[in-house]
């Protein structure tokens, strides 16, 4: 299994390496404007500048560890991840019980579904003026927007998971004398877990997209803010370095969530052993 994973990962690296080689070739031959599209080497150099501390180490800097983690990239990444985690927990924490209720109860679904279907198509970006008006600037409006972005994927998938439980399981549980609460906790909820985890994965991805947009509008730090700042000064290399950082961070998050899903759903795939 380990060899297969390494082979699969190696295959996935081929296309990016070829693309970077072509990009570097075009840049070296002067076929592209360096101000518009800097070379991969220039982007890599700027990325390391973005990662490393701005000033040399001195005793006045405090501990060496604190100085080592004082680079803009690490601070911006921490701030962005903090907003993603808080916003996702708020959005998913509200969506999960609501989705379970709407999926399990036809009456609750009939009452709330029209409102959810009206609100669901509205993109989180459309809430930016209201979020600033309600919460001002800083973390609160960003968390609010991220929570909205994470809310609906978790909600919709949770509702679908509960409502799509195989009727054979429900009839079998009722025939065995299961109460409504037992039916929900022991049959409907476990059967809907794959849907819920899919919603969590989509919700985290959406939250990560929204945080970049929110940081360009409402806060003065984070990966999104740094890209916007670089645009103001025509630092194309820093813009691309920030974009690559976002992509790498998103890849790590997606891989981590996928691994967690696979671990939690071993029983679903018959891999308990």
């Amino acid at each position: 299994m380990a060899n297969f994973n390494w082979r699969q990962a190696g295959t996935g690296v081929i296309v990016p390496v070829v693309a970077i080689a072509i990009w570097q070739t075009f840049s070296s031959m002067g076929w592209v404007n360096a101000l518009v599209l800097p070379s991969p080497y220039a982007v890599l150099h700027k990325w390391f500048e973005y990662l490393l501390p701005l000033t040399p180490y001195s005793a006045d800097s405090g501990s060496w560890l604190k100085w080592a983690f004082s680079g803009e990239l690490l601070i911006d990444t921490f701030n962005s991840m903090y907003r993603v985690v808080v916003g996702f927990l708020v959005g998913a924490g509200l969506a999960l019980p609501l989705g379970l209720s709407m999926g399990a109860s036809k009456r609750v679904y009939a009452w709330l579904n029209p409102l959810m279907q009206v609100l669901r198509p509205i993109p989180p970006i459309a809430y930016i003026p209201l979020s600033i008006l309600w919460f001002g600037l800083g973390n609160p409006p960003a968390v609010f927007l991220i929570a909205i972005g994470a809310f609906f994927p978790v909600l919709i998938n949770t509702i679908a998971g509960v409502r799509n439980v195989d009727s054979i399981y429900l009839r079998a549980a009722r025939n065995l004398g299961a109460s409504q609460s037992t039916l929900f906790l022991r049959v409907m909820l476990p059967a809907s877990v794959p849907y819920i985890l899919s919603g969590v994965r989509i919700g985290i991805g959406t939250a990560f997209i929204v945080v970049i947009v929110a940081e360009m509008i409402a806060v003065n730090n984070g990966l999104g803010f740094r890209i916007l700042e670089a645009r103001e000064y025509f630092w194309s290399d820093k813009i691309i370095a920030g974009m690559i950082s976002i992509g790498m961070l998103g890849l790590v998050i997606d891989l981590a969530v996928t691994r967690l899903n696979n671990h939690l759903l071993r029983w679903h795939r018959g891999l308990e052993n």
Side-chain angles (χ1 to χ4, degrees):
M1 180 62 71
N3 293 333
F4 174 78
N5 288 337
W6 278 110
R7 197 157 52 243
Q8 188 178 35
T11 303
V13 169
I14 293 175
V15 173
V17 168
V18 171
I20 291 174
I22 295 173
W23 176 13
Q24 180 65 48
T25 301
F26 284 4
S27 299
S28 300
M29 300 182 69
W31 291 357
V32 293
N33 188 339
L35 183 62
V36 176
L37 184 63
S39 68
Y41 176 79
V43 172
L44 183 63
H45 183 267
K46 178 59 69 174
W47 188 86
F48 276 107
E49 287 185 354
Y50 189 19
L51 173 66
L52 297 176
L54 298 176
T55 59
Y57 175 72
S58 66
D60 297 334
S61 303
S63 68
W64 183 89
L65 189 62
K66 179 180 178 182
W67 170 82
F69 286 90
S70 64
E72 278 188 340
L73 177 58
L74 297 177
I75 295 175
D76 289 337
T77 300
F78 173 81
N79 289 326
S80 295
M81 287 304 302
Y82 169 78
R83 297 180 185 112
V84 168
V85 171
V86 175
F88 175 79
L89 290 178
V90 172
L94 295 173
L96 186 57
L98 183 60
L100 292 173
S101 300
M102 292 178 65
S105 173
K106 293 182 179 179
R107 180 174 299 179
V108 175
Y109 183 85
W111 276 92
L112 296 180
N113 185 59
L115 177 61
M116 295 299 105
Q117 295 305 323
V118 170
L119 296 177
R120 184 171 63 87
I122 303 175
I125 299 173
Y127 290 92
I128 288 177
L130 286 178
S131 67
I132 296 176
L133 180 64
W134 291 345
F135 302 104
L137 299 177
N139 284 333
V143 170
F144 172 74
L145 294 172
I146 295 165
I148 293 176
F151 177 83
F152 286 103
V154 177
L155 176 71
I156 299 303
N157 278 271
T158 302
I159 294 173
V162 176
R163 292 175 66 88
N164 288 333
V165 175
D166 197 321
S167 60
I168 294 177
Y169 300 146
L170 300 178
R171 288 197 299 268
R174 291 193 182 100
N175 290 338
L176 293 172
S179 63
Q180 190 63 32
S181 60
T182 301
L183 186 67
F184 176 78
L185 293 174
R186 302 296 298 273
V187 179
M188 299 174 72
L189 184 59
S192 63
V193 166
Y195 288 85
I196 295 174
L197 293 179
S198 295
V200 166
R201 183 180 180 185
I202 298 171
I204 291 178
T206 305
F208 199 70
I209 294 172
V210 174
V211 71
I212 303 303
V213 177
E215 289 175 346
M216 291 182 175
I217 305 297
V219 297
N220 59 359
N221 54 46
L223 296 171
F225 169 80
R226 206 61 63 187
I227 290 176
L228 186 65
E229 180 189 53
R231 189 208 66 177
E232 297 293 334
Y233 293 97
F234 296 97
W235 294 336
S236 300
D237 50 359
K238 192 169 185 178
I239 292 174
I240 298 176
M243 293 169 61
I244 292 174
S245 301
I246 293 169
M248 293 171 60
L249 188 59
L251 176 62
V252 171
I253 293 173
D254 185 71
L255 290 175
V257 173
T258 301
R259 290 289 297 272
L260 178 63
N261 285 1
N262 291 339
H263 176 73
L264 295 178
L265 295 179
R266 288 180 300 170
W267 62 270
H268 181 70
R269 298 184 175 93
L271 301 175
E272 294 89 350
N273 297 324

